[in-house]
Amino acid sequence: MANPTAASSSRLLYSTVLFLLLCASACALYADEAGLNDFVIRTAGHGQVGVRYASLIGEPPKSNDDNGDTIDSFGTSVWVTSQSNEFPGAVSDGFSGVSSAGEVAGGFDPIIGKLDTSTMYDDASCSIAGRNVTSGQVLWRVNACSSSSRGVNTKTGEFAPRHVTLASSTYPNVVYSIDNAGVFRGWNSNDGMLQLDMDLFQQINTSDDEKETHQFPHGLPRLLDTSHPRIIGTVVAGGGEDESLVLLDTKTGQPISSSPSSKEEKPFIVLSAKSLLAKAKISKKKYDTARIVDVMYVKGDTTTKRHPGHLAVLVAWSSLNEEIAAPKNTQVIKSVSSFSSMAWIDVKLKEVIQTSEPPEASAPKSEDYDDWSTTLIKSVSYSYEVGKGSPFIVDGVGSTPLLLSSLRKVVGGEKNDNKNSLSVMAIAATSSQLLLVTNINTFIGNSGGSGRSYEIDTLHPHLRLIDTISVPQMNDDNTVATLTISGVDDRYPTSSRIESLFEVTVDGSDGGGEPFRRVYGSEKKGDEEIMHSAVVLCPTFESSGLVVAAVQDGSDVFAMPYAVNEGQTSCSSMAVDGDSSIVPSTRGGSSSTGSNDRAHLLECFPHTMTVAFTTTCGMTSAIRFETSSSGSMKATKLWTSEEALGSISSAVFLDETHAMAMVAPSDSQEAAINADYEEEKALRDLQFSSRIQMQLNSLREGIFGGGLLSSLKSIAIMSDEKKAERDIAFGFAKVAVLLSENMHRVVALDTMKRNVIWSMNLHAGASWHKIVHGGQFVSLNDPHGNGGVNDHEMLAISYVEGASSSVEWKCFDGLGGKIFSGDSSPVKTSISQIVPLRTSSHQPHLHDSSGCRQVALLVHSDNTVSVIPNTARSRAIVQEAVTARNNGLFVHSIDKHTGEFRSQIVSMKAASDSYDLVTVGLTVFDPSQEKIINVSYPRRGEVMQSPSTVLGDESLLLKYLNPHLVVVVTQATPSFFSEMKPDADEESTNGFYNSLSTGASTQQMRKPLGAAKPGEGPPNVANTAAPSLFVSLVDSVSGQILHRVSHSHVDSANELLETTNVPIVVSENWVVYTFFNQRTRRTDVGVLTLHEGMIDKNGITAFSAPEQELTFSSLESAKPIVLSRTFGLPKAVSALGVTSTKAGISSKQFMFATGNDQVISLDRRFLDPRRPNGDLKESEKVEGLMKYAPMLPIIPFLTPSHVHEVSSVKSIASASAHVESQSLVLAFGGPDIFFSRVSPSKGFDLLPDDFNRGLLTVVVVGLLVALNVIQRMNKKKMVASFWS
């Protein structure tokens, strides 16, 4: 008879092995995967303003191969973009204080929306970026500004570019910029390395010949492309409004000075426009301001290798701040002039050559040698001599007023065998005419031209105002130019932008033709229907050319190609195969925010054409068009970039482990029922019985479905699919729902796939937006999905301020982006607080047009409340929150202007479904003495492993855990700081220092090291300087100040910053904050730990225990005992964060975003305020305390960002995984987003790096074979024994 015990053991072993092999979740996490899942998403960093300037620079494309066949290769070109002026050399108009099409003014733009500059990072208006044309990768990004001021006019709120960018074929491989402080820089176009750095104003304001202090006109810099490879121009102004020209050497960056004609004459570096106009004998007439309009290089002798010749300088008299025609309800101020008020001035260039002795005969030859045997040219520089001037004589339109900033060089070409002829175009001051001047000879003495005017109705029947003339880069020998002219159609309440394509020839009249003609759209449509917002032409495509335009089709925006017909006066639409969508509806195509803005030609070849489409506050897409064998046009989307990622203000993590299946049926009611059913099914699958059934099904499939071999293979070699399943099982699959308030946009980022899965536009005119998720008393790890990471229903709230203010809300799914419901509710007063509320139990709910599971309670400034959405279910959730707790629902509001911190309780009105607010406590931070600069709250739903800390002597240090804690940081006002006495021993007569007192405690047992009694300041502090920064701990229920500390971070009132950056993080009973100390020139890290008291090691026994309150009350509980320390950090800090794990067992790590674009981490032990000053005692060593050191270390292997650069981080968020040792960290707020998976306590639940998976497979298989063999042997032996 067989042994039953052996049989049972065999079955158990078989079942165990098969279970391990076939279980889908039987995967392991390995320590050598650390850092593999980290990534950085880089954006161009142009923020809300977007791409205003774009240019292609680099090596020219190769059009033919060695056999002479045409090929399409783009070389190493880089697409350079920035927020600076679209036309770097255009005359500046200053500030209008109102908006016109394409301009941001008064803090609002009809396309960009509300311009929020308060949350912009310092370089938000100063970024220059270089992208790879094919992949869209941001190769480099630089901050072109030397100061940290914001690019907004303080009087009007209008956006003012703080720098100007110039990337031109004239200056290959170098991108030039100059900021509003006069710093002129040159950047390598391939890697962004700084090649040139010069302070212009320091050079010209300190020169002997200059007595005036110069600056840029209206504070707006300009860079003039002179078409000379060694000379670039800029414009400055002295004491008045009159402008002057400064020529800069592109190789050295130094200003070029004049060449004196006599020994008595001194060289000068500033060319006054007024003196140049006087030289040409042009009187002021009706205009009284001298302006520099443009500079053009006139070639001389081309037989030498260097660049002699002349510069033709165009100067003009103009008016300032003249009101012109503008769209409805707007007023636009521009500078006005006329061709008759202009003049050409001849500036003759001279070479200054430095030579040296000839080199040895073996030395390598260089093009700089004039004569190899005699002279070596060591360096070549330039000087100039001002020649004669000549009036700009134009036939026909010479006296017509024009907008000086709209003047453009259109085309250059041959005239009388002389390559110095060009055409210019401008917009008339009425904004309803185009002025074209052709046959301009830039040789002085014959600088006239033939003028024509074109009425607005000949350009497009729907145009009401002409706004912009855009001309692509051109060569001097071009005879035909393609340009786009955009205007405004204001027939409707919301003005729209129309862009049309035109061609200009050098002199069409010589052949009897018209020099200016429009390239019409499809011949299948009437002229009124052709209304493109962006259009671009590739003239060499298939010999006749290809036009690509942005077309609006419902809620989608896509690119449409048009083949240019013979004669180039019309084009025909073509069928498209592939993805040509620019802004699909799923990515925000249904709103003006995110709509198409401009089209930029990246590649133009005989068979391919690549176009980049930039959108306002949205996406940038590059689409390549090429001919296919079927005759249609093949469209390939090369890359897309979500620009909103460069301006994220808040983030919410969602777990996609239990993703709710999204259904999109036609009937919304049916969709809601299906969605509820899918969510109910997902919740049922989480039950224990359901999971056992799933494991049995998996086992059955493995046995009968051929899954055994695949399972063995997956153990030996982990596939990508298996790894993805494991990451989902371990909780690494997160979706970060990101809010960009500046760009009025919500973006969802998949942290596993590292891409954007959906985006949604919010109200473009809103003052602010907020995402509401979860509730006040809901755990983030709630397995039932009631407001935690497994709950995917979210609420987006937008506050639209105006004569009739309103709140617009959208209820949406955070994983798929599906909008369940939405509406707008009017409000009478502003909103001071948003309280998230979520029901404590799961209840099925149909998503009707006005309902949402997520609820928000809005606290208004007039002490009233409202509910969003305002439905019976929402009011029931509020009522549940009000009555669920014995003391009711408490809220608070903070008014930074009045300094009031008001604590209130929500109560229901009698016989009504509305609510009242009753003030419980009030704390006032006197705005005449201090201003609130930051407010921080504890991390909602944080999991804590223990309410106490075990000390080295086995006593307990009890944590003070107050969920209603609020940290308020204030800074002394300059007036009050100057009145305060610097001696800390003298008591202030106004009682300001008395506010540091926090009361007295009645229960004190034993004071641990570094502790301060309630009411006392930090121990051992010797500081005689007047305090200027204050950190207050306030209870939001009682309104009391629990503790208050002060810091002296300035020496004088003049050093007080307008906006002091004080990042704060509150975790458990820890408060950590940083600030820059101007007295010590370092970053100070302040640490506060809050405690209730201590219990000796013998205080808790089997027979006795100290009396303790089981519940916490903000109104009755004692104030905390505070331990405090201040440390130093050698790096500036812009953001703080802390890791979070599933059960809170792993030690905490605090994350610091530093000024050198790194994210570093420090174990909490480094920041412990209990670190002793002297040698460690044995009990302190047991506890793991470290000796106090004033400076915190920066440890390279504790730098999660390691090789990545993460710029201008403003926030650091974290989420827990299902593995206790792992924490997911996301750093955002600047132009970069960084994601990392860190192990605060190392990988105590990870397999080691050298774990041998192959050996495990061999052992398991060998065990199965051995078991089978032994069983057979045992059976034979038992049979033989029976027979014997």
Side-chain angles (χ1 to χ4, degrees):
M1 182 176 178
N3 188 350
T5 305
S8 301
S9 301
S10 301
R11 288 193 296 269
L12 178 62
L13 182 58
Y14 268 124
S15 302
T16 303
V17 172
L18 287 175
F19 181 80
L20 292 175
L21 289 175
L22 302 176
C23 180
S25 61
C27 302
L29 186 66
Y30 296 88
D32 56 359
E33 296 179 19
L36 297 180
N37 296 296
D38 299 356
F39 64 87
V40 169
I41 298 179
R42 304 192 70 188
T43 67
H46 302 323
Q48 186 180 8
V49 178
V51 176
R52 289 199 164 193
Y53 175 83
S55 180
L56 211 57
I57 189 172
E59 295 183 5
K62 300 175 182 179
S63 57
N64 297 95
D65 60 11
D66 297 335
N67 299 324
D69 298 329
T70 301
I71 61 175
D72 295 345
S73 175
F74 204 68
T76 58
S77 295
V78 176
W79 190 40
V80 179
T81 59
S82 77
Q83 311 100 309
S84 63
N85 285 329
E86 181 181 0
F87 310 105
V91 176
S92 60
D93 290 310
F95 299 102
S96 61
V98 290
S99 62
S100 65
E103 294 181 347
V104 179
F108 181 81
D109 179 80
I111 297 178
I112 298 178
K114 193 76 174 181
L115 181 61
D116 182 11
T117 60
S118 60
T119 57
M120 284 185 179
Y121 40 88
D122 292 338
D123 58 346
S125 57
C126 287
S127 296
I128 304 177
R131 286 185 185 272
N132 181 284
V133 172
T134 304
S135 65
Q137 177 187 3
V138 177
L139 302 175
W140 53 268
R141 184 187 62 244
V142 296
N143 182 3
C145 297
S146 58
S147 63
S148 60
S149 59
R150 303 192 184 276
V152 176
N153 183 279
T154 56
K155 296 181 179 179
T156 64
E158 182 179 354
F159 172 76
R162 295 169 50 207
H163 76 287
V164 67
T165 308
L166 179 60
S168 170
S169 58
T170 305
Y171 317 105
N173 301 322
V174 182
V175 179
Y176 292 100
S177 69
I178 189 168
D179 66 358
N180 54 2
V183 178
F184 177 62
R185 290 171 173 162
W187 315 87
N188 186 289
S189 62
N190 295 320
D191 54 18
M193 295 298 292
L194 183 65
Q195 295 183 340
L196 194 67
D197 193 359
M198 188 272 299
D199 191 333
L200 172 65
F201 293 142
Q202 184 180 12
Q203 294 287 332
I204 64 176
N205 290 334
T206 58
S207 59
D208 296 336
D209 60 300
E210 297 300 329
K211 298 181 180 180
E212 294 181 325
T213 299
H214 291 81
Q215 58 185 2
F216 291 121
H218 310 290
L220 302 176
R222 294 168 58 190
L223 284 178
L224 306 177
D225 184 354
T226 65
S227 300
H228 190 291
R230 284 288 301 274
I231 300 176
I232 197 169
T234 188
V235 179
V236 298
E241 299 289 348
D242 295 326
E243 298 179 348
S244 300
L245 174 66
V246 179
L247 300 176
L248 304 174
D249 192 320
T250 58
K251 188 174 183 180
T252 64
Q254 297 297 316
I256 300 174
S257 62
S258 64
S259 177
S261 57
S262 62
K263 294 182 179 180
E264 292 78 13
E265 184 180 351
K266 292 183 178 181
F268 54 88
I269 59 178
V270 176
L271 279 171
S272 170
K274 182 180 292 186
S275 63
L276 296 180
L277 285 166
K279 183 179 286 289
K281 299 181 180 180
I282 302 295
S283 60
K284 291 184 178 182
K285 297 181 181 178
K286 60 183 296 186
Y287 309 122
D288 56 1
T289 304
R291 312 294 294 272
I292 300 292
V293 181
D294 209 342
V295 180
M296 182 176 179
Y297 174 53
V298 181
K299 294 182 179 179
D301 183 11
T302 59
T303 59
T304 64
K305 296 179 181 179
R306 294 177 300 278
H307 309 278
H310 301 253
L311 292 178
V313 182
L314 183 60
V315 292
W317 290 107
S318 80
S319 65
L320 292 176
N321 302 329
E322 185 168 331
E323 184 177 348
I324 64 168
K328 297 176 181 178
N329 304 321
T330 60
Q331 180 186 22
V332 177
I333 306 299
K334 297 283 187 179
S335 298
V336 177
S337 183
S338 64
F339 291 118
S340 61
S341 299
M342 302 182 188
W344 291 96
I345 309 298
D346 179 33
V347 176
K348 184 179 180 181
L349 298 177
K350 295 183 178 182
E351 292 181 341
V352 180
I353 303 175
Q354 294 183 0
T355 61
S356 64
E357 297 297 326
E360 298 179 0
S362 61
K365 294 189 177 183
S366 169
E367 63 177 10
D368 288 335
Y369 291 98
D370 261 1
D371 189 336
W372 184 260
S373 61
T374 58
T375 307
L376 169 66
I377 299 178
K378 191 174 182 180
S379 65
V380 178
S381 59
Y382 291 89
S383 65
Y384 59 83
E385 181 181 347
V386 180
K388 58 183 179 179
S390 176
F392 193 1
I393 303 174
V394 177
D395 299 335
V397 294
S399 59
T400 304
L402 56 87
L403 304 180
L404 200 56
S405 60
S406 68
L407 191 66
R408 305 280 184 268
K409 291 183 294 188
V410 178
V411 66
E414 298 184 359
K415 178 182 178 183
N416 300 328
D417 298 328
N418 179 18
K419 297 182 180 181
N420 289 301
S421 175
L422 79 155
S423 300
V424 298
M425 180 173 284
I427 302 174
T430 59
S431 297
S432 60
Q433 270 187 324
L434 276 182
L435 307 179
L436 174 64
V437 181
T438 58
N439 303 327
I440 303 173
N441 192 331
T442 53
F443 275 129
I444 304 303
N446 186 20
S447 59
S450 302
R452 295 175 174 85
S453 64
Y454 299 91
E455 296 297 329
I456 192 171
D457 55 357
T458 63
L459 306 180
H460 196 285
H462 290 334
L463 279 182
R464 295 298 179 264
L465 297 170
I466 306 173
D467 182 66
T468 307
I469 302 173
S470 300
V471 184
Q473 292 186 10
M474 62 179 184
N475 298 322
D476 292 338
D477 56 353
N478 285 348
T479 58
V480 178
T482 303
L483 58 123
T484 56
I485 296 176
S486 60
V488 179
D489 179 8
D490 63 351
R491 295 173 300 161
Y492 305 102
T494 302
S495 300
S496 60
R497 181 175 179 270
I498 302 177
E499 190 168 286
S500 299
L501 193 66
F502 296 85
E503 285 190 347
V504 177
T505 58
V506 173
D507 188 8
S509 59
D510 293 344
E514 175 63 42
F516 178 74
R517 61 177 182 269
R518 177 185 172 193
V519 180
Y520 287 85
S522 173
E523 72 284 353
K524 298 179 182 180
K525 294 184 177 181
D527 195 31
E528 292 81 3
E529 298 180 75
I530 308 301
M531 298 178 61
H532 299 312
S533 60
V535 62
V536 67
L537 167 68
C538 174
T540 62
F541 190 91
E542 298 291 345
S543 70
S544 60
L546 181 69
V547 175
V548 174
V551 178
Q552 182 86 23
D553 183 16
S555 59
D556 295 324
V557 183
F558 62 93
M560 174 61 70
Y562 298 90
V564 179
N565 299 327
E566 186 177 357
Q568 295 189 340
T569 57
S570 64
C571 48
S572 303
S573 59
M574 303 183 66
V576 179
D577 294 333
D579 184 9
S580 65
S581 60
I582 302 172
V583 187
S585 57
T586 57
R587 298 292 296 273
S590 60
S591 171
S592 61
T593 302
S595 61
N596 179 250
D597 185 27
R598 294 288 191 276
H600 308 270
L601 182 63
L602 298 185
E603 294 179 354
C604 181
F605 298 114
H607 302 292
T608 60
M609 174 186 181
T610 303
V611 183
F613 292 92
T614 57
T615 62
T616 305
C617 301
M619 297 169 55
T620 300
S621 304
I623 303 175
R624 175 173 289 170
F625 295 90
E626 52 190 340
T627 55
S628 62
S629 57
S630 61
S632 61
M633 190 64 58
K634 179 182 177 182
T636 304
K637 184 171 291 186
L638 298 181
W639 51 268
T640 59
S641 175
E642 182 63 66
E643 303 302 336
L645 292 177
S647 181
I648 300 300
S649 55
S650 63
V652 176
F653 278 104
L654 298 179
D655 197 334
E656 60 176 326
T657 304
H658 308 293
M660 184 176 64
M662 296 309 302
V663 186
S666 57
D667 186 16
S668 59
Q669 185 74 4
E670 180 184 352
I673 295 175
N674 290 339
D676 282 321
Y677 171 77
E678 292 293 340
E679 186 169 355
E680 292 286 348
K681 182 178 180 297
L683 292 174
R684 286 198 304 269
D685 290 341
L686 295 178
Q687 297 176 0
F688 179 76
S689 59
S690 299
R691 297 180 66 181
I692 293 297
Q693 185 64 36
M694 292 170 59
Q695 299 290 355
L696 293 176
N697 294 337
S698 177
L699 181 64
R700 187 183 304 111
E701 181 183 355
I703 296 175
F704 301 104
L708 179 60
L709 293 178
S710 61
S711 298
L712 290 173
K713 182 180 178 181
S714 67
I715 291 181
I717 302 174
M718 183 174 290
S719 63
D720 292 339
E721 294 181 359
K722 198 70 175 178
K723 186 176 179 181
E725 293 178 5
R726 183 209 63 186
D727 289 345
I728 291 178
F730 286 170
F732 299 146
K734 302 290 184 183
V735 171
V737 181
L738 311 174
L739 170 65
S740 175
E741 289 194 67
N742 286 344
M743 295 194 179
H744 317 284
R745 199 166 173 85
V746 179
V747 180
L749 176 67
D750 191 320
T751 59
M752 282 183 58
K753 300 177 182 178
R754 309 181 183 187
N755 62 350
V756 174
I757 55 178
W758 63 267
S759 59
M760 177 180 68
N761 288 320
L762 303 177
H763 196 291
S767 300
W768 51 259
H769 311 276
K770 299 297 177 185
I771 289 182
V772 182
H773 181 248
Q776 280 190 315
F777 313 108
V778 174
S779 172
L780 295 181
N781 295 318
D782 182 1
H784 300 291
N786 297 321
V789 294
N790 296 315
D791 186 2
H792 307 144
E793 194 161 332
M794 312 180 75
L795 192 65
I797 296 179
S798 304
Y799 177 65
V800 184
E801 188 176 8
S804 56
S805 300
S806 63
V807 171
E808 183 180 285
W809 60 271
K810 294 180 180 180
C811 181
F812 63 94
D813 173 57
L815 291 186
K818 178 181 176 61
I819 299 177
F820 296 128
S821 56
D823 201 355
S824 179
S825 302
V827 293
K828 298 180 180 180
T829 57
S830 61
I831 299 171
S832 57
Q833 182 78 345
I834 299 178
V835 181
L837 294 176
R838 188 68 163 83
T839 181
S840 59
S841 60
H842 177 76
Q843 301 176 8
H845 169 58
L846 298 181
H847 295 97
D848 53 30
S849 59
S850 60
C852 186
R853 287 189 179 94
Q854 182 65 58
V855 177
L857 184 69
L858 308 183
V859 180
H860 298 271
S861 58
D862 61 351
N863 294 330
T864 60
V865 295
S866 59
V867 182
I868 296 295
N870 189 13
T871 62
R873 175 181 174 84
S874 300
R875 291 190 292 270
I877 293 177
V878 175
Q879 183 64 23
E880 179 187 357
V882 171
T883 59
R885 295 178 175 267
N886 296 330
N887 296 327
L889 177 62
F890 288 86
V891 299
H892 69 278
S893 61
I894 302 175
D895 191 332
K896 292 187 177 181
H897 299 290
T898 62
E900 290 187 354
F901 188 108
R902 189 180 299 273
S903 301
Q904 298 164 312
I905 186 172
V906 180
S907 62
M908 196 168 198
K909 291 183 179 179
S912 174
D913 58 354
S914 58
Y915 301 91
D916 272 339
L917 288 179
V918 179
T919 300
V920 177
L922 177 65
T923 296
V924 179
F925 300 93
D926 191 347
S928 65
Q929 298 179 355
E930 52 184 331
K931 63 178 181 180
I932 300 175
I933 59 177
N934 198 4
V935 179
S936 182
Y937 298 87
R939 303 175 67 247
R940 179 159 49 94
E942 185 177 23
V943 179
M944 183 181 55
Q945 189 264 339
S946 174
S948 63
T949 302
V950 181
L951 304 184
D953 58 359
E954 298 183 358
S955 60
L956 298 179
L957 184 60
L958 303 180
K959 301 176 182 178
Y960 178 82
L961 302 173
N962 185 350
H964 310 296
L965 185 68
V966 180
V967 182
V968 181
V969 181
T970 58
Q971 180 176 268
T973 60
S975 60
F976 181 72
F977 181 78
S978 60
E979 297 174 359
M980 286 193 296
K981 297 180 180 180
D983 188 357
D985 294 333
E986 295 187 28
E987 184 177 0
S988 176
T989 56
N990 55 24
F992 185 75
Y993 290 107
N994 293 335
S995 63
L996 295 176
S997 176
T998 57
S1001 176
T1002 59
Q1003 298 180 357
Q1004 288 292 320
M1005 296 187 61
R1006 181 162 63 90
K1007 183 174 69 174
L1009 178 66
K1013 292 182 179 179
E1016 293 181 349
N1020 301 326
V1021 176
N1023 184 9
T1024 59
S1028 52
L1029 189 69
F1030 307 93
V1031 179
S1032 303
L1033 308 183
V1034 185
D1035 190 298
S1036 63
V1037 171
S1038 64
Q1040 297 180 6
I1041 295 181
L1042 303 176
H1043 189 75
R1044 184 174 169 95
V1045 295
S1046 63
H1047 298 275
S1048 302
H1049 74 308
V1050 295
D1051 283 330
S1052 65
N1054 295 331
E1055 295 180 3
L1056 284 171
L1057 302 177
E1058 292 184 3
T1059 54
T1060 301
N1061 182 30
V1062 184
I1064 313 171
V1065 62
V1066 183
S1067 176
E1068 295 184 359
N1069 64 322
W1070 286 63
V1071 178
V1072 180
Y1073 55 93
T1074 67
F1075 60 93
F1076 181 73
N1077 195 325
Q1078 300 181 46
R1079 301 175 62 247
T1080 58
R1081 300 298 176 185
R1082 72 177 189 189
T1083 297
D1084 283 354
V1085 181
V1087 183
L1088 305 175
T1089 58
L1090 314 180
H1091 303 275
E1092 290 185 359
M1094 294 185 63
I1095 301 178
D1096 291 330
K1097 64 178 182 179
N1098 298 322
I1100 300 180
T1101 66
F1103 306 101
S1104 64
E1107 294 183 3
Q1108 286 192 340
E1109 295 290 339
L1110 299 179
T1111 59
F1112 176 85
S1113 173
S1114 295
L1115 303 177
E1116 299 176 358
S1117 298
K1119 294 183 178 180
I1121 301 171
V1122 180
L1123 312 182
S1124 62
R1125 280 281 195 184
T1126 301
F1127 301 89
L1129 197 65
K1131 302 291 184 181
V1133 176
S1134 61
L1136 282 177
V1138 64
T1139 58
S1140 60
T1141 55
K1142 181 180 181 181
I1145 299 174
S1146 297
S1147 63
K1148 299 285 185 180
Q1149 279 189 353
F1150 287 95
M1151 319 296 291
F1152 297 79
T1154 60
N1156 62 335
D1157 300 339
Q1158 291 291 321
V1159 176
I1160 66 173
S1161 64
L1162 284 175
D1163 192 277
R1164 185 166 60 178
R1165 293 177 298 172
F1166 285 101
L1167 302 172
D1168 197 330
R1170 297 177 51 248
R1171 292 174 62 178
N1173 294 323
D1175 294 334
L1176 296 179
K1177 300 177 182 178
E1178 189 61 31
S1179 61
E1180 295 170 339
K1181 292 180 181 180
V1182 172
E1183 186 181 345
L1185 290 178
M1186 295 180 290
K1187 184 178 179 180
Y1188 172 75
M1191 296 298 295
L1192 294 173
I1194 296 180
I1195 306 173
F1197 67 84
L1198 290 180
T1199 303
S1201 58
H1202 41 94
V1203 298
H1204 300 296
E1205 291 186 359
V1206 192
S1207 301
S1208 304
V1209 175
K1210 294 302 179 187
S1211 298
I1212 301 177
S1214 65
S1216 62
H1218 297 169
V1219 184
E1220 172 59 28
S1221 67
Q1222 302 295 297
S1223 180
L1224 311 179
V1225 176
L1226 186 72
F1228 56 91
D1232 301 325
I1233 286 184
F1234 171 68
F1235 176 81
S1236 178
R1237 200 170 76 199
V1238 298
S1239 303
S1241 296
K1242 298 185 179 181
F1244 60 85
D1245 53 1
L1246 309 184
L1247 291 177
D1249 298 352
D1250 56 352
F1251 182 81
N1252 197 330
R1253 287 183 290 179
L1255 179 61
L1256 175 64
T1257 305
V1258 173
V1259 170
V1260 171
V1261 174
L1263 184 61
L1264 287 174
V1265 173
L1267 181 62
N1268 187 48
V1269 172
I1270 292 174
Q1271 274 190 334
R1272 289 178 179 270
M1273 293 173 61
N1274 181 59
K1275 182 181 291 187
K1276 289 182 179 180
K1277 183 178 179 180
M1278 295 297 294
V1279 170
S1281 64
F1282 283 135
W1283 281 106
S1284 63

